[in-house]
Amino acid sequence: APDGKTLASGSADKDIIVWNAQTGVPVHILRAHTEAVMRVAFSPDGRTLASGAQDKLIHLWDTASGTLSGTLTGHDGWVVSLAFSPDGKWLASASNDRRVIVWDLEKRRIEKVLEGHDDVVDAVAFSPDGRRVVSGGDDRAVRVWDVRKGELLMTLQGHASFLKAVSYAPDGKTIASAGLDQQIILWDAATGERIRTLTGQEGIIFCLDWNRDGSRLASGGDSLLIWDASGEILRNIRSFHGIVNGVSFSPDGKHLV
């Protein structure tokens, strides 16, 4: 959560668990999805948790009470990625129906449908100013959208296989993308030009997260790496017995989940 006091996890067992980040004790167990939960995301104020699943639904949860506060329906396939806008007014969702949907959370309705991907959309993220959305998927393309107009601004080509993760740097100047080709590409968010390619991670990369000041980038998949801003590997954490499907820095940057 934004305050660093709780964290949330979703699972193939259909449950979502909200944990006390200090003690590791479950605070809430949230049950409503009928299929595997693919993604969870906290709102910027921490009051709402969104969850997306293979049942094609997005559930909105009150984090204080652990109760279901709403459900968004509109996707025709699995909901595989979620991102809140920085002001918390919108939620973007990506699906294997090849679409990104931007939701108006106050009115609980679809604001924009972003269509342009030729295959499954696996990842979505808002820019720090909330004006743009970046998405990536199995068509190997990174696409940048104007949220208010619902228009495609740029298509960034460079990956050799499916994309699984996209992320804006905190200053909004850089986009990171990664996937099955075992590389992270850093793009200039304004021009779409490739800045550099980070190589050295073995296996698929499923997730990316920047720390708050943008000095560190974490990438998870068959392994978990921490990179500095120049693209140097700082840590290679190998103490896993499976795939890392999600990674997140704590708000103070001292911990990594």
Side-chain angles (χ1 to χ4, degrees), residues 5-9 16-31:
K5 295 180 180 180
T6 58
L7 60 92
S9 60
I16 299 151
I17 300 180
V18 179
W19 309 81
N20 182 305
Q22 301 299 318
T23 65
V25 175
V27 178
H28 300 297
I29 299 178
L30 313 179
R31 295 188 171 111

Side-chain angles (χ1 to χ4, degrees), residues 47-85:
R47 296 179 180 178
T48 301
L49 181 72
S51 60
Q54 291 181 9
D55 59 11
K56 309 176 185 179
L57 300 177
I58 299 167
H59 288 320
L60 303 174
W61 306 86
D62 181 291
T63 56
S65 64
T67 57
L68 184 65
S69 61
T71 299
L72 306 177
T73 60
H75 278 295
D76 297 323
W78 297 359
V79 179
V80 296
S81 186
L82 297 168
F84 280 92
S85 61

Side-chain angles (χ1 to χ4, degrees), residues 33-218:
H33 286 292
T34 58
E35 300 290 345
V37 179
M38 303 295 289
R39 190 67 59 189
V40 294
F42 279 101
S43 61
D45 63 9
R47 296 179 180 178
T48 301
L49 181 72
S51 60
Q54 291 181 9
D55 59 11
K56 309 176 185 179
L57 300 177
I58 299 167
H59 288 320
L60 303 174
W61 306 86
D62 181 291
T63 56
S65 64
T67 57
L68 184 65
S69 61
T71 299
L72 306 177
T73 60
H75 278 295
D76 297 323
W78 297 359
V79 179
V80 296
S81 186
L82 297 168
F84 280 92
S85 61
D87 62 9
K89 294 180 179 180
W90 291 340
L91 178 72
S93 57
S95 170
N96 65 2
D97 65 9
R98 306 184 180 188
R99 299 183 298 160
V100 174
I101 296 180
V102 178
W103 307 84
D104 181 320
L105 292 178
E106 183 180 353
K107 298 177 181 178
R108 301 289 173 91
R109 71 182 188 189
I110 293 173
E111 179 70 21
K112 298 291 182 183
V113 178
L114 310 179
E115 296 182 294
H117 282 283
D118 300 323
D119 211 325
V120 174
V121 188
D122 285 301
V124 66
F126 268 96
S127 61
D129 64 8
R131 295 179 180 179
R132 295 184 176 189
V133 161
V134 61
S135 58
D138 288 2
D139 60 3
R140 309 179 185 182
V142 178
R143 301 185 191 273
V144 181
W145 311 81
D146 182 301
V147 179
R148 294 189 182 278
K149 295 180 180 179
E151 295 177 355
L152 179 64
L153 299 175
M154 293 186 289
T155 300
L156 314 181
Q157 302 280 2
H159 283 282
S161 191
F162 300 166
L163 281 167
K164 295 296 179 183
V166 293
S167 182
Y168 267 96
D171 63 5
K173 295 180 180 179
T174 306
I175 296 169
S177 59
L180 272 65
D181 60 6
Q182 304 180 34
Q183 62 181 352
I184 301 168
I185 299 179
L186 302 182
W187 310 87
D188 184 303
T191 66
E193 295 180 3
R194 187 194 297 225
I195 300 170
R196 65 174 59 94
T197 302
L198 311 185
T199 58
Q201 184 155 359
E202 298 177 0
I204 300 169
I205 303 171
F206 281 104
C207 48
L208 296 167
D209 191 47
W210 300 84
N211 68 345
R212 183 166 286 182
D213 66 8
S215 64
R216 301 287 184 268
L217 176 66

